[in-house]
Amino acid sequence: MSVIGLFPGSFDPIHNGHVDLVKRSRPLFGELVVAVLNNENKKPTFSLAERIEMLNELFADDPGIRVKSFSGLLVDFARQLGAGYIVRGLRTGTDLDYELPMTLMNRRLEPDVATLFLFPASEYQDLSSSLIKEVFRLGGQPEGLLPELVERRLIERFAGDR
Ligand code: PNS
């Protein structure tokens, strides 16, 4: 039976640090599920449907990557999928402070699902979706942070704001 990995996140929007983590973790699993948190009540920049559409487009050439959405507890979703591993990225020590309590709680809730931490490439160590959005919203357009199709949509999204 193939091992299933689960890479969860808000992905509002996905950036190159996330893509790097998908590429790093993909060979470890028979199937990798990229799962978007359904957080519509938090007023995301991109709707759940838009985020899913972008992810599907990005990973269309790999049948071993499935894009899904989830709400509720992550470990319940992992159990439902039969995923043995949750993949998360660590950029800095601050990330670890944020991740550790979630990881330990997830393990308490579901001891059979392990969390695997990976470091993104160092050129992406400073990337966060919220920081990228702030820069683009204010008219900055640094290159190489976003997949092309995401960058296009983000520029479009903020075009009316200025
Ligand atoms: O990319 P993000 O926003 O850092 O992802 C956070 C995410 C989606 C992994 C986290 O918020 C999550 O797992 N939410 C689901 C709700 C849940 O299971 N909460 C309890 C965790 S201990």
Side-chain angles (χ1 to χ4, degrees), residues 7-12 18 35-39 42 70-77 86-88 91 95 98-107 109 129:
F7 182 40
S10 302
F11 302 117
D12 187 34
H18 295 128
V36 187
L37 177 68
N38 184 351
N39 55 354
K42 278 178 73 184
F70 77 103
S71 48
L73 284 177
L74 179 61
V75 287
D76 284 346
F77 186 59
I86 292 167
V87 174
R88 293 289 288 167
R91 292 161 300 187
D95 275 353
Y98 169 69
E99 296 290 335
L100 189 62
M102 284 203 296
T103 302
L104 297 178
M105 181 57 79
N106 283 338
R107 191 169 64 181
L109 293 167
S129 299

